[in-house]
């Protein structure tokens, strides 16, 4: 093996001064220009190999010399740069007639992939994923060259959809089922909604009227949770703290208005079958409409539990008379 490698080193030194030929069994003629498919560069891609035993010729053709140039790009080699690539294969190069040009070009064939097509695919994907959102592309991808073969473009999310930071869609480029690259395409994703805001000055404890609020278009993705989008769920509620015009109303800012205060005289109602009876009473605690509170019947002095009604009466539960 040492004699073979030494002979090859000597051969390559001679090739640097021009083509050399030995009367041997196998002929190797490196082509001045080679177009390969990639991604692996084989000896048979860049050289015409003939003569000698068919098995040896096939073996030499399949020798792997390394990675091919990127699709659509080219490299230039010389006998001196080819030498270490051949030596790395540890193959037997004895009994070969060599013909190697002083310089030769290797180009990897390719097919174009439009950056616009990648962008459109990514935009369609994110629009369907974040339904109802507004998407804005942050920098369009460039055109590129992909290996030859059946081309597939598949978009996928690189993490969750973000409404307060860029969202990245990766478009996987595959040829013949093998992934060549994943091209990132970034978007600003905005969820524009009609959000309830204050239309006039409100003081703490005010009951919100229809004129007090309005809807305004906003990027809801940048808002804190709890914003409101339905005016009907706001009107009639009581605001906890003062708010100037333009303020966003949140669920935590509102409460149901207190209709019955502790110690207040009220009407106690009860239903027995289809008959409703009522009596005077006093509230033992405060409550909003729908709240359960304790009340006392002023006539019987009994303590009862009832639900506050919109008319400020209290409907007693499970009333059995007395």
């Amino acid at each position: 093996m040492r004699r073979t490698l030494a002979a090859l080193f000597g051969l390559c030194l001679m090739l640097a001064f021009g083509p050399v030929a030995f009367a041997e069994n196998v002929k190797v003629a490196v082509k001045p220009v080679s177009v390969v498919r990639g991604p692996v560069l084989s000896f048979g891609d860049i050289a015409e190999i003939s003569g000698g035993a068919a098995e040896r010729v096939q073996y030499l053709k399949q020798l792997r010399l390394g990675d091919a140039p990127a699709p659509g790009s080219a490299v230039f080699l010389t006998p001196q740069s080819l030498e270490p690539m051949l030596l790395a294969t540890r193959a037997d190069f004895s009994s070969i007639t060599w013909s190697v040009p002083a310089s030769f070009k290797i180009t990897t064939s390719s097919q174009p992939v439009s950056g616009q097509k990648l962008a459109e695919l990514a935009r369609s994907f994110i629009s369907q994923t974040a339904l109802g959102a507004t998407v804005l592309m942050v920098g369009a991808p460039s055109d590129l060259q992909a290996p030859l073969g059946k081309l597939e473009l598949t978009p996928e999310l690189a993490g969750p959809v973000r409404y307060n930071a860029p969202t990245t869609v990766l478009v996987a480029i595959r040829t013949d089922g093998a992934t060549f690259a994943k091209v990132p395409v970034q978007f600003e994703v905005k969820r524009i909604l009609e959000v309830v805001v204050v239309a006039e000055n409100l003081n703490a404890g005010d009951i919100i009227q229809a004129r007090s609020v309005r809807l305004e278009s906003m990027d809801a993705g940048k808002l804190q949770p709890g914003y409101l989008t339905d005016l009907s769920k706001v009107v009639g509620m009581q605001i906890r703290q003062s708010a100037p015009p333009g303020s966003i109303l949140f669920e935590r800012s509102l409460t149901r208005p207190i209709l019955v205060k502790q110690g207040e005289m009220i009407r106690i109602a009860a239903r027995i079958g289809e008959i409703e009876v009522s009596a005077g009473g006093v509230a033992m605690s405060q409550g909003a409409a729908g709240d359960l509170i304790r009340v006392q019947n002023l006539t019987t002095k009994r303590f009862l539990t009832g639900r506050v009604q919109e008319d400020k009466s209290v409907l007693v539960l499970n009333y059995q008379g007395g």
Side-chain angles (χ1 to χ4, degrees):
M1 178 61 70
R2 289 183 179 179
R3 292 178 59 188
T4 301
L5 294 179
L8 181 57
F9 273 112
L11 170 66
C12 290
L13 289 175
M14 295 173 66
L15 290 175
F17 297 94
V20 179
F22 298 106
E24 301 293 351
N25 294 331
V26 177
K27 295 180 180 180
V28 173
V30 176
K31 294 177 281 189
V33 176
S34 302
V35 179
V36 303
R37 286 182 62 95
V40 176
L41 183 65
S42 66
F43 197 20
D45 289 332
I46 66 170
E48 297 288 350
I49 306 173
S50 60
E55 293 82 1
R56 189 183 184 202
V57 169
Q58 187 63 25
Y59 167 75
L60 291 172
K61 287 182 178 181
Q62 293 177 351
L63 289 177
R64 297 177 59 157
L65 303 182
D67 295 333
S73 63
V75 296
F76 289 87
L77 297 181
T78 64
Q80 289 83 359
S81 57
L82 177 61
E83 177 186 2
M85 299 168 69
L86 293 173
L87 288 174
T89 67
R90 308 184 71 85
D92 178 9
F93 292 103
S94 61
S95 301
I96 294 178
T97 299
W98 294 87
S99 176
V100 184
S103 176
F104 49 99
K105 179 182 179 182
I106 303 173
T107 302
T108 299
S109 57
S110 62
Q111 58 182 319
V113 179
S114 166
Q116 181 179 356
K117 185 174 182 179
L118 295 175
E120 291 173 352
L121 187 62
R123 182 190 295 278
S124 175
F125 175 77
I126 192 64
S127 296
Q128 293 176 21
T129 303
L131 285 175
T134 301
V135 297
L136 176 64
M137 187 180 303
V138 183
S142 302
D143 297 344
L144 54 82
Q145 298 293 320
L148 294 179
K150 182 182 178 182
L151 185 66
E152 296 178 84
L153 305 177
T154 307
E156 58 189 40
L157 277 177
V161 175
R162 296 179 174 86
Y163 293 97
N164 53 5
T167 296
T168 300
V169 176
L170 296 176
V171 182
I173 302 175
R174 297 185 178 89
T175 54
D176 293 335
T179 300
F180 165 67
K182 290 188 176 182
V183 178
V185 186
Q186 286 195 331
F187 294 90
E188 287 185 0
V189 183
K190 297 182 179 181
R191 180 179 289 167
I192 306 300
L193 296 177
E194 296 287 296
V195 177
V196 178
V197 299
V198 176
E200 61 182 14
N201 278 312
L202 291 175
N203 298 315
D206 282 353
I207 304 300
I208 297 176
Q209 308 297 319
R211 68 174 185 275
S212 305
V213 289
R214 58 182 169 83
L215 293 174
E216 186 174 313
S217 295
M218 292 188 177
D219 182 0
K222 296 183 178 180
L223 300 180
Q224 296 179 9
Y227 57 84
L228 299 161
T229 59
D230 189 346
L231 290 174
S232 66
K233 294 183 178 179
V234 175
V235 174
M237 298 292 282
Q238 188 173 32
I239 191 166
R240 296 178 184 273
Q241 62 277 329
S242 60
S247 301
I248 300 170
L249 283 182
F250 293 90
E251 291 180 1
R252 61 180 177 274
S253 305
L254 306 176
T255 185
R256 289 175 298 168
I258 299 301
L259 296 181
V260 175
K261 297 180 180 180
Q262 184 177 2
E264 185 177 359
M265 303 299 293
I266 55 157
R267 181 175 69 90
I268 298 175
R271 294 193 181 98
I272 305 175
E274 296 182 357
I275 302 175
E276 181 175 307
V277 297
S278 62
V282 60
M284 306 308 296
S285 59
Q286 68 177 20
D291 287 348
L292 290 175
I293 64 171
R294 292 273 289 170
V295 297
Q296 184 182 31
N297 187 315
L298 293 178
T299 302
T300 65
K301 304 303 181 183
R302 290 181 60 188
F303 291 95
L304 306 166
T305 299
R307 191 177 302 279
V308 178
Q309 306 299 296
E310 293 287 350
D311 63 358
K312 298 184 61 173
S313 66
V314 176
L315 180 64
V316 175
L317 307 179
N318 300 322
Y319 183 75
Q320 298 178 350

